[in-house]
Amino acid sequence: MASQETYEDTHEEHSTGTAPGEQDTQNQGQVDQYSATDLPVRDGSIVVYSDPGRTSLLVRKMLQQPQRGRNSGWARGAEVTQEQVLIPLREDATLDLVVAKRWAREAEADMTVIVTEIPRMAGERPKTAELHFADRLAIISLPALGPAFIMHSLRRELHRVVTALLNESVDAARQYGGYYAHVEEQKGDDTFFISPGMLFPGRLWMTLGMVAANEPLWSLPKLSGVFAAAAATGAFGIFFTTIWEMASFLPHWRLAIVSVAAVGIVSAWLIISNRLWDRSAVVGGAREAAMYNISTVVSLLTSVTALYFVLFVSILVVGLLLIEPGFMADVLRQETGFMNYVEIAWLSASLGTFAGAIGANFDDSVNLKNLTQGSRELQRYPKDAEQR
């Protein structure tokens, strides 16, 4: 059973029921209820299903925030229940709408909203949201909202879809969307999808949203083996005077090239050794594969660059503590200053980062494979009898 929290005047805790569907039992997390008592109350309820991890955290954080601003009344005073569950995929790499509609029927709520980190496309257009009026169901794709102002964008989309479902009219979504949203009927189905008004910025924004979903700056603990090997190797730069002389002799542009090469090689090694490169057949097409792979490369470059910066600062601080300026001047046979310490840390961090590729072999492969969007989505596919 999952825990349940009610954010009302009493803030009492009580238990909740099971997640919808047998397939989702192992993925179920918290279930939270919120009542917007400061809004005009209407009888009704809304169930929000959200993916585990960052998606559920953002939804929960938004529901706990005070209702202020232009989009504050999105729930219309209804009771909102959040359930954390892994949204499944079909074999063609698209969200399983059959399961989503079953959840909507079984929720016994007036509206059902699914918030997922699955990037969704309608041809060449990214989908920010999808409306199924017959099932009173809306699906919001978090990556399509982009990497910045995500809380504001999520609240805006919730306001848009709830308004449309409440009025049982897509015109409400069109009117609320304005210039920056495109509302179109879904081919072959009595549904509508909402996408950014501009095609190219929309795909670019979604790709950056996929990078944000990977949380590259918060992934350093998953690269602990890389950092340990890099730190152990980089520490030798403090004690070996040959590295001091080389760092002092090399021009800064060469040191910069070595740094870029180190970050690039380690990132490439992480992708190759953990099979993080997505094929078009797995993610739904060449266009989708390009978005997934670009987000993977950018995410890993960001993570490894952050690791490099932490390593550089660590070596610089230790070098300042251990290397006596007079001794360094004797070794280098020249006047020394702070820049010499920077150059030593610069070269040592680069050499250490190269060694970090070896340390990647000691990291948990499951954690490393959860660094990217495509590898996480492999968990969503239906499993056969042997995999169960």
Side-chain angles (χ1 to χ4, degrees):
M1 302 287 281
S3 63
Q4 183 180 44
E5 299 176 4
T6 302
Y7 288 85
E8 297 177 331
D9 293 337
T10 56
H11 297 279
E12 295 179 354
E13 283 193 3
H14 53 283
S15 62
T16 186
T18 59
E22 179 181 350
Q23 182 178 354
D24 314 310
T25 304
Q26 63 180 358
N27 301 314
Q28 187 175 354
Q30 288 189 336
V31 180
D32 304 319
Q33 285 190 347
Y34 308 84
S35 179
T37 56
D38 58 333
L39 301 173
V41 177
R42 298 184 182 183
D43 294 332
S45 58
I46 301 174
V47 175
V48 179
Y49 294 102
S50 54
D51 278 323
R54 173 178 178 264
T55 304
S56 285
L57 180 64
L58 289 173
V59 172
R60 190 177 304 117
K61 183 178 178 181
M62 184 199 64
L63 294 175
Q64 292 173 349
Q65 286 180 345
Q67 300 293 309
R68 301 190 185 97
R70 179 171 177 263
N71 304 322
S72 60
W74 67 269
R76 297 296 194 278
E79 183 181 62
V80 182
T81 301
Q82 180 197 5
E83 296 200 23
Q84 177 178 290
V85 63
L86 191 65
I87 315 300
L89 288 176
R90 295 183 297 196
E91 293 183 355
D92 61 355
T94 59
L95 186 144
D96 195 332
L97 287 175
V98 174
V99 173
K101 292 180 178 180
R102 174 166 57 83
W103 290 355
R105 292 192 302 270
E106 296 176 352
E108 298 183 355
D110 294 288
M111 299 179 199
T112 303
V113 180
I114 293 177
V115 183
T116 178
E117 71 166 4
I118 300 172
R120 309 190 70 218
M121 301 285 291
E124 295 185 350
R125 288 188 173 275
K127 293 182 184 178
T128 56
E130 188 173 276
L131 294 165
H132 298 258
F133 287 99
D135 300 281
R136 298 187 68 79
L137 167 69
I139 303 171
I140 297 174
S141 174
L142 205 60
L145 304 183
F149 311 109
I150 188 66
M151 297 293 288
H152 170 78
S153 299
L154 178 58
R155 187 177 286 108
R156 179 198 65 212
E157 290 305 313
L158 284 168
H159 192 289
R160 191 200 312 273
V161 299
V162 169
T163 299
L165 292 176
L166 184 64
N167 290 277
E168 298 183 351
S169 171
V170 74
D171 291 334
R174 286 197 178 100
Q175 183 177 4
Y176 186 78
Y179 176 76
Y180 296 102
H182 177 84
V183 182
E184 187 174 326
E185 187 173 5
Q186 182 109 338
K187 295 180 180 179
D189 198 359
D190 185 24
T191 63
F192 295 83
F193 70 88
I194 303 166
S195 63
M198 301 291 287
L199 184 61
F200 171 72
R203 285 207 300 269
L204 175 62
W205 202 240
M206 173 178 275
T207 304
L208 294 176
M210 294 165 67
V211 174
N214 292 334
E215 299 184 290
L217 294 179
W218 295 100
S219 299
L220 294 185
K222 298 177 182 179
L223 298 174
S224 57
V226 176
F227 184 78
T233 303
F236 282 99
I238 300 174
F239 304 105
F240 279 83
T241 58
T242 303
I243 294 179
W244 301 4
E245 295 171 340
M246 187 179 297
S248 178
F249 181 78
L250 289 174
H252 290 174
W253 66 268
R254 284 181 180 262
L255 290 173
I257 290 176
V258 174
S259 299
V260 172
V263 171
I265 289 174
V266 172
S267 300
W269 174 252
L270 288 171
I271 292 172
I272 294 170
S273 63
N274 293 283
R275 299 179 181 178
L276 301 180
W277 193 259
D278 293 300
R279 301 187 305 274
S280 58
V282 175
V283 295
R287 186 186 303 109
E288 287 77 9
M291 293 171 58
Y292 277 74
N293 290 326
I294 290 172
S295 69
T296 294
V297 171
V298 174
S299 297
L300 286 176
L301 285 174
T302 303
S303 294
V304 177
T305 300
L307 183 146
Y308 180 94
F309 179 76
V310 172
L311 182 62
F312 167 80
V313 172
S314 302
I315 295 174
L316 178 61
V317 170
V318 176
L320 288 169
L321 291 174
L322 295 183
I323 302 175
E324 205 278 328
F327 178 63
M328 182 190 295
D330 290 340
V331 172
L332 299 179
R333 294 183 296 277
Q334 65 182 31
E335 292 292 330
T336 59
F338 179 73
M339 197 61 202
N340 294 99
Y341 290 93
V342 171
E343 291 166 347
I344 292 172
W346 194 347
L347 181 58
S348 300
S350 299
L351 297 177
T353 302
F354 279 115
I358 300 174
N361 297 325
F362 300 97
D363 279 318
D364 190 331
S365 60
V366 174
N367 286 336
L368 288 175
K369 289 181 179 179
N370 283 333
L371 285 172
T372 64
Q373 184 90 42
S375 55
R376 288 196 303 275
E377 288 188 5
L378 291 176
Q379 304 172 28
R380 301 176 186 270
Y381 287 98
K383 299 179 180 179
D384 56 29
E386 292 183 0
Q387 290 173 312
R388 294 194 187 97

